[in-house]
Amino acid sequence: MKPDAVLLDPEVLSDFLADCIREYTTCTPELPPRSWAVLLGRFVDGAMRVERVRFAANIRETDDHVLQEFDATIIPRFGACYANGRRGFWCEPRELLRITTEAEAEGLEVLGSIHLHPDWHRIGPPHERGLRVSQEPTPMDRHLFRGAGWPLNLILYLERREGRLYHALGAWAPPSEDAPDAGCRPLAIRFGTPEPGDSQGPWHEVARSGRGRNAER
């Protein structure tokens, strides 16, 4: 049975959210914000439980093979905006292998990835505001999700309204191999809730420390 839900304690994503906010608040129309990380966890009771987030090196702008892939396939298919090296993420393979090996040693698995979507239809350059962005996958996302084959793909959407930042989270299974042009299957997200009397629950810890302790660079 394919997992249909994601189990997640709020503090697990706190460092990733902080990185997204830093990227968002320092971006320009020429330098889009980007944040990407690997999700580690376990398969439990028909669901995927995310327990840790690991940041990884991005070779999108430095690896010749990746640059050729964007020039030959991605830019012609998904648009000239992807000629900007700040658009997209490509994990360094040896680092991904190291993350996978370390996770297995701790009894965890690589479940998938998480990346940032900003409200680019508001803050991006005028010629790139036609595609409304949200926590749902873009055509480019669907292409990458299918290629990676990971069962879990989280998208954190960040927007500014009335001077304040808000975020939403979407969880997606990759498109089916039998129907590559189909959309991604949405997955339910279930956030962990402290038990009554649990003063050390996830919300307490986030409030006390101001940051999570489950993301590693």
Side-chain angles (χ1 to χ4, degrees):
M1 182 179 66
K2 294 182 179 180
D4 60 1
V6 180
L7 310 180
L8 181 63
D9 286 330
E11 82 274 15
V12 172
L13 297 185
S14 59
D15 279 359
F16 182 79
L17 178 58
D19 190 65
C20 291
I21 292 171
R22 179 186 58 79
E23 285 281 320
Y24 185 98
T25 55
T26 58
C27 77
T28 69
E30 295 74 31
L31 297 173
R34 66 181 179 190
S35 189
W36 184 92
V38 180
L39 301 170
L40 307 179
R42 312 170 198 267
F43 292 90
V44 292
D45 193 24
M48 291 172 283
R49 186 172 69 206
V50 178
E51 299 185 20
R52 190 169 302 169
V53 174
R54 289 290 304 272
F55 292 93
N58 183 12
I59 58 172
R60 160 70 180 90
E61 299 176 86
T62 58
D63 185 271
D64 289 340
H65 169 75
V66 177
L67 292 170
Q68 292 172 8
E69 174 71 14
F70 270 79
D71 287 342
T73 302
I74 292 176
I75 295 171
R77 181 172 178 180
F78 299 107
C81 63
Y82 289 102
N84 186 330
R86 294 279 301 180
R87 300 292 292 268
F89 198 99
W90 202 289
C91 185
E92 204 284 321
R94 288 170 297 182
E95 185 164 3
L96 180 59
L97 177 60
R98 177 178 59 80
I99 291 172
T100 302
T101 302
E102 291 175 356
E104 291 175 349
E106 298 180 29
L108 302 176
E109 299 184 49
V110 173
L111 300 178
S113 69
I114 181 170
H115 74 277
L116 166 66
H117 274 189
D119 54 346
W120 204 236
H121 53 283
R122 295 194 184 101
I123 66 174
H127 65 277
E128 290 189 21
R129 297 185 183 183
L131 175 64
R132 185 174 182 85
V133 185
S134 70
Q135 67 273 22
E136 297 195 6
T138 65
M140 169 68 163
D141 289 332
R142 294 196 294 271
H143 172 76
L144 294 179
F145 293 170
R146 183 171 61 251
W150 281 331
L152 175 59
N153 305 276
L154 293 182
I155 298 175
L156 190 148
Y157 172 64
L158 191 61
E159 68 175 15
R160 188 181 298 278
R161 289 180 180 264
E162 298 183 335
R164 183 177 177 184
L165 289 175
Y166 295 87
H167 72 277
L169 190 65
W172 310 90
S176 169
E177 290 291 340
D178 298 330
D181 294 328
C184 297
R185 179 170 58 93
L187 302 169
I189 301 175
R190 302 289 184 257
F191 290 103
T193 303
E195 296 293 333
D198 181 8
S199 62
Q200 298 302 314
W203 291 112
H204 172 87
E205 179 65 20
V206 171
R208 184 183 65 80
S209 67
R211 64 189 296 275
R213 294 183 291 183
N214 293 286
E216 301 177 21
R217 287 192 181 277

